[in-house]
Amino acid sequence: MKSQRLLEGNTTLPPKLDAAVADTPGAPLFNGGTYGNVLSSPIYAKETSKDNGWTKTDDTTYKYYISGTPIPFTYSTTAGTFDCNASSATTGTNCKYLTR
């Protein structure tokens, strides 16, 4: 996302990755519209605790569920990164699998 925005001459990072309301099943995620599209097509939020799906927690945090376990991801509005905590004792292994 950051590279695409730089190529477009836009050096600012979006304050949000999408305009979806938190914890809304079916909401389009990562398709920011006025914030700048992160993906060319959105991923639609699943219901909480559903496997292999994303949910939005707030404007900068999301969760991806694996076997009922949520793996939290955080968007940094200053660095433009979107990552999970690979050193977490409870979710670190799955974070590593998702970010390889």
Side-chain angles (χ1 to χ4, degrees), residues 1-2 5 11-18 35 58-62 74-83:
M1 174 184 77
K2 186 174 181 179
R5 292 176 65 84
T11 58
T12 61
L13 293 170
K16 300 179 184 180
L17 298 179
D18 53 55
Y35 304 111
D58 62 35
D59 286 344
T60 58
T61 56
Y62 297 78
T74 303
Y75 168 60
S76 169
T77 58
T78 55
T81 57
F82 185 72
D83 208 358

Side-chain angles (χ1 to χ4, degrees), residues 15-76:
K16 300 179 184 180
L17 298 179
D18 53 55
V21 175
D23 297 318
T24 304
L29 303 178
F30 313 114
N31 189 16
T34 58
Y35 304 111
N37 291 335
V38 176
L39 300 175
S40 57
S41 297
I43 294 174
Y44 293 94
K46 295 222 177 177
E47 294 178 31
T48 302
S49 298
K50 295 289 183 178
D51 286 340
N52 304 318
W54 288 97
T55 61
K56 181 175 182 174
T57 307
D58 62 35
D59 286 344
T60 58
T61 56
Y62 297 78
K63 292 178 183 175
Y64 188 84
Y65 286 84
I66 298 176
S67 300
T69 301
I71 313 303
F73 280 76
T74 303
Y75 168 60
S76 169

